[in-house]
Amino acid sequence: MASSQEAMSKLRVGRTTEYRMGTDTRLLTIDHGPTELFVLCTERFEAAPAFRSGDFSMHMIRVKGNPMAMVICMVGDHQWMLAKDSLVLHVEARMFVFVLPGFLYGLTLPTTASDHESRIVEEIFKRFCAYRDLSANEDCESGGDSNSETDPWARAYSKMEKLTSRKTVIAAANSAKTPPETTAGVSSADPNTRRKLQRAVRTSAVVKLLSRALLAGALDPTKHLHLVAATAAGGAALPTMWALADLLDAVEAGKQRIEALPLGQRGPQGSSGWWTLNREGARRLLEVVWACGATRGVKRTRVEAVEEEEEEDSNGGSNGITGSNGRCRGGKAKEGGSKMVA
């Protein structure tokens, strides 16, 4: 218990950047070795190629005057958010699996990460999402597949299969099924690989848009969010995974079809302390998306621009877009501690 409390006491030690309507606090940075991020879309996760590689950091977004928070994970410039009802599995030492709408992420912290840093990462996951520790389940059968004895992600697949009785989590990995397609560079054994990679890139783009819109005041929590306040005194409401799924659906559907989407008021059943976008919020964010494209004198949206830049990054280009830490124009930095959580 003492070690857990010690790790939690370090959460707010980091650099805080102050914006017009909120703050961005860096909870943790691991920059002394590359962290690898995988999109687990190969057969039984075997030989999954790294999707991103770089420094790993975790940020907390807070909006002034509102009991809500948003925690973002980053590998390099690529982002995804934690949610109150998002499943994060600790599958092996320094290895985690994230269940996101339409695909799974695999995260491997560098071997240079200290035990203290790894423990803080785990404590953040325990606090801000639905966390399960499978790292101690070494008795999981491999089903006679010799590859699973050496491939860590294949072993993770076997552990997840056992946990879910071959249903829930594995089904989440295949929830973005599309008809078979022929695409150069995509294995015919998994025709959905390209769609899942695109979904991952788009997820990063919309998480950046959501955090920046909140910090800049383009989204007003009192008008554009459905919030179920936390029952505990001082507790902050955390996003539900529906916030990400609804935003992805809204961006993909566009303004013409947004009225048909079942937006808002969907979250963990019988639970308090969560928030998601309502229909007005999704409409407002789409207006911001299209306005950003219009001010640049181009026909593409801001989401498409971010996607293109992330694709360039994955192909060996520059390390992402300007303002990769969720920065909004006009923000002022205010130091609140060291870069590393010591």
Side-chain angles (χ1 to χ4, degrees):
M1 177 65 70
S3 62
S4 175
Q5 291 177 344
E6 176 189 0
M8 291 300 292
S9 69
K10 304 293 185 180
L11 284 183
R12 292 188 179 277
V13 179
R15 175 177 297 176
T16 295
T17 305
E18 189 169 301
Y19 299 104
R20 178 169 168 263
M21 295 302 298
T23 58
D24 177 352
T25 299
R26 185 181 307 187
L27 302 179
L28 173 75
T29 297
I30 299 177
D31 58 0
H32 45 79
T35 294
E36 292 188 315
L37 184 67
F38 302 80
V39 176
L40 301 176
C41 50
T42 55
E43 180 67 22
R44 297 184 64 85
F45 306 162
E46 294 168 347
F51 175 68
R52 292 287 188 273
S53 179
D55 295 344
F56 177 67
S57 61
M58 304 177 79
H59 295 247
M60 176 185 284
I61 306 297
R62 297 298 299 263
V63 178
K64 295 178 181 178
N66 285 275
M68 57 173 292
M70 177 181 178
V71 176
I72 296 172
C73 299
M74 300 176 61
V75 172
D77 189 52
H78 191 83
Q79 302 186 12
W80 69 100
M81 74 177 191
L82 301 180
K84 185 180 179 70
D85 52 352
S86 64
L87 187 61
V88 177
L89 305 174
H90 185 187
V91 291
E92 291 195 14
R94 296 179 172 82
M95 292 178 61
F96 303 87
V97 171
F98 300 80
V99 180
L100 293 164
F103 65 97
L104 303 178
Y105 273 142
L107 181 77
T108 301
L109 298 178
T111 56
T112 54
S114 68
D115 291 340
H116 180 66
E117 289 171 329
S118 298
R119 187 169 68 252
I120 291 177
V121 170
E122 293 173 35
E123 293 298 334
I124 293 174
F125 290 157
K126 289 177 182 178
R127 179 172 178 179
F128 295 109
C129 56
Y131 175 83
R132 294 289 298 272
D133 188 355
L134 305 184
S135 60
N137 295 346
E138 301 299 339
D139 59 338
C140 184
E141 297 295 334
S142 65
D145 187 346
S146 60
N147 287 335
S148 66
E149 298 175 2
T150 57
D151 189 310
W153 292 118
R155 292 197 300 270
Y157 184 99
S158 297
K159 291 181 180 182
M160 292 164 63
E161 246 188 345
K162 186 175 183 179
L163 170 69
T164 61
S165 299
R166 306 176 187 273
K167 290 181 181 179
T168 310
V169 175
I170 302 303
N174 299 314
S175 62
K177 290 293 186 182
T178 56
E181 60 185 52
T182 302
T183 307
V186 178
S187 170
S188 60
D190 187 356
N192 301 298
T193 297
R194 184 182 182 189
R195 177 175 176 82
K196 291 177 182 178
L197 293 176
Q198 290 175 335
R199 184 79 166 179
V201 170
R202 182 159 290 181
T203 294
S204 177
V206 298
V207 168
K208 292 174 184 179
L209 287 169
L210 179 57
S211 63
R212 293 174 186 180
L214 287 170
L215 291 173
L219 284 180
D220 183 344
T222 62
K223 298 178 181 179
H224 301 133
L225 302 182
H226 177 75
L227 188 149
V228 178
T231 55
L238 302 174
T240 170
M241 189 52 67
W242 283 110
L244 178 57
D246 286 346
L247 184 51
L248 284 165
D249 289 343
V251 169
E252 292 175 351
K255 290 188 290 185
Q256 303 303 319
R257 298 171 54 194
I258 193 172
E259 296 301 329
L261 297 176
L263 298 175
Q265 303 188 22
R266 297 186 295 178
Q269 295 296 320
S271 176
S272 63
W274 57 270
W275 61 266
T276 187
L277 284 170
N278 59 25
R279 193 178 306 280
E280 190 61 33
R283 186 184 296 109
R284 172 59 179 152
L285 198 57
L286 283 179
E287 291 173 355
V288 173
V289 168
W290 287 100
C292 287
T295 57
R296 287 166 174 77
V298 294
K299 294 183 179 179
R300 62 180 182 171
T301 67
R302 182 57 178 154
V303 169
E304 292 168 334
V306 174
E307 286 177 340
E308 181 177 305
E309 289 164 338
E310 289 234 12
E311 290 288 3
E312 291 174 355
D313 178 34
S314 66
N315 291 328
S318 62
N319 189 24
I321 66 173
T322 302
S324 61
N325 292 331
R327 296 182 181 277
C328 304
R329 293 184 179 181
K332 295 181 179 180
K334 181 173 67 176
E335 299 301 326
S338 63
K339 179 181 179 182
M340 291 295 299
V341 175

